[in-house]
Amino acid sequence: THSVRNTNVPMSQRSDYVDLCRNIIRDMDLYGVCVLDNFLGYQRGMTVLDEVLNLYNMGVFKDGQLVRNKASNNLKTIRGDQIIWVDGREDCCKQIGQLISDVDAVVMGSNKMNDNGKLGNYTINGRTKAMVACYPGHGSHYVKHVDNPNKDGRCITAIYYLNKDWDIKENGGLLRIFPEGWSDQVADIEPLFDRILFFWSDRRNPHEVQPAFKTRYAITLWYFDGNEKEEAGRRFQDASDLNSMQVP
Ligand SMILES: Cn1c(O)c(C(=O)NCC(=O)O)c(=O)c2ccccc21
Ligand SMILES: [Mn+2]
C-alpha cells in the first residue's frame, strides 16, 4: 500500500508520478497485486463519488445478477451486484472520465517505464470501458472467481473504491485475493474511499467479494494485452463474448 501526494494537476504532471509507476511495477512484479491510497485526493475523489451516487439515484444501474440466498434455503434470491458501463465522455460522467485518464496514465506509464518497456511482459494497448458497480448492502457478495481464466486478452484489473467511513467489521465487503503459489496466504483488501487496486486478471489471482452490509461502490477497468487480445479475437468468433466486455 502506497500513498499518493494529493495534487490537482493531471496525473502525468504530478511530482510523484514516476514514483507511482515505479511502485506499481515493483509490486506487480513481486506480488501481482498493488494498492495505492489517496489516488485522486479527497476533493476529486468526492466529485467521482458524487457522479456515481447521481447515476445510482437516476436508476440507470442494471439489476444485479440473481444470487440464491444460501441463508434461507427457499428460492428467494437476493439481488447481487448492480453494474453500469460508462466510457467517461458522457455529460454525467466527466469526473469518472478524469479518473479513467489518470488510471490510464499510471498503467501506460508503468508499461513504458519498466526496464524492458513492458509491465509483466505485456504490451498493453487498450482497455474496456469503466464498469461502475454497486453492491446493495444486504449481504450481496461475489463468489470466488478469476476475471480472465481463458485468455480473453485482459491482463490487468484496476479497481477504484469509493466507500467513505467503511468499517470492515460492521460493513463487510472485503475483497479477498487468493494469490496462486502463495498456498496459505491471502490478500485482504478493504474497499476504502480513494483507494485503487491493480492485479493480474488471470488465474494468478482468484478473488471474492465477501458479503456487504452497506452499499459498496467501485469502478473497474480491465487493460488488454495486444497479442492476447488479437489471439482471442481470432478464437472468439461469437461477438457476445466481446460485447460483455464493452470495449470503447
Ligand atoms: C460487480 N463485479 C465485481 O465486483 C467483480 C469483482 O471482482 N469485484 C472485486 C471488488 O469489487 O473488490 C467482478 O469481477 C465482476 C465481473 C463481472 C461483472 C461484475 C463484477
Ligand atoms: Mn473480479
Side-chain angles (χ1 to χ4, degrees):
T1 306
H2 307 278
S3 189
V4 178
R5 218 185 335 282
N6 311 336
T7 47
N8 268 332
V9 301
M11 183 54 73
S12 48
Q13 266 89 52
R14 284 195 195 182
S15 57
D16 57 347
Y17 174 62
V18 174
D19 316 4
L20 273 187
C21 295
R22 292 234 178 287
N23 283 333
I24 295 172
I25 294 168
R26 184 164 39 74
D27 285 7
M28 292 304 280
D29 287 348
L30 275 176
Y31 313 112
V33 181
C34 176
V35 179
L36 301 178
D37 278 323
N38 306 314
F39 183 62
L40 295 184
Y42 183 82
Q43 224 63 34
R44 281 189 56 208
M46 282 307 293
T47 62
V48 173
L49 175 57
D50 289 344
E51 278 187 359
V52 169
L53 292 174
N54 179 40
L55 285 173
Y56 195 69
N57 295 329
M58 285 195 305
V60 292
F61 278 64
K62 284 209 317 260
D63 259 352
Q65 50 175 328
L66 283 172
V67 182
R68 194 161 308 291
N69 188 343
K70 281 195 285 270
S72 58
N73 59 10
N74 67 16
L75 283 179
K76 191 174 87 57
T77 49
I78 52 170
R79 282 272 172 226
D81 57 287
Q82 301 167 307
I83 65 172
I84 177 173
W85 289 94
V86 302
D87 78 8
R89 286 174 299 208
E90 303 87 347
D91 280 351
C92 55
C93 304
K94 293 293 177 210
Q95 297 299 327
I96 295 172
Q98 271 304 316
L99 163 72
I100 294 170
S101 50
D102 283 358
V103 183
D104 285 349
V106 291
V107 170
M108 300 322 288
S110 308
N111 193 40
K112 270 200 303 289
M113 271 178 225
N114 205 4
D115 40 27
N116 67 5
K118 294 180 166 203
L119 189 57
N121 221 8
Y122 293 114
T123 308
I124 301 170
N125 72 344
R127 58 162 165 75
T128 64
K129 289 184 177 183
M131 182 184 78
V132 186
C134 168
Y135 286 79
H138 38 253
S140 48
H141 63 286
Y142 208 96
V143 294
K144 188 172 172 181
H145 66 282
V146 169
D147 283 354
N148 173 16
N150 307 314
K151 292 198 171 306
D152 63 25
R154 291 177 290 167
C155 60
I156 292 183
T157 303
I159 309 180
Y160 181 74
Y161 296 109
L162 289 154
N163 307 292
K164 288 181 65 189
D165 314 320
W166 190 267
D167 175 353
I168 206 74
K169 284 178 297 304
E170 288 280 306
N171 309 137
L174 182 79
L175 171 71
R176 174 161 287 179
I177 306 180
F178 305 80
E180 192 186 52
W182 301 62
S183 55
D184 53 349
Q185 300 282 315
V186 292
D188 282 349
I189 289 116
E190 300 186 14
L192 305 181
F193 174 76
D194 201 22
R195 164 174 283 186
I196 191 163
L197 160 73
F198 302 94
F199 58 88
W200 302 131
S201 309
D202 63 15
R203 292 169 188 261
R204 282 171 285 183
N205 288 314
H207 54 284
E208 66 186 9
V209 177
Q210 296 183 347
F213 299 99
K214 190 170 122 183
T215 313
R216 179 191 190 274
Y217 296 102
I219 300 175
T220 301
L221 293 163
W222 281 282
Y223 287 85
F224 291 116
D225 167 67
N227 306 325
E228 185 178 308
K229 176 92 168 4
E230 157 82 17
E231 182 51 39
R234 274 197 284 278
R235 263 185 291 114
F236 284 112
Q237 298 317 320
D238 173 357
S240 67
D241 291 81
L242 294 177
N243 286 348
S244 66
M245 277 189 235
Q246 300 278 333
V247 182

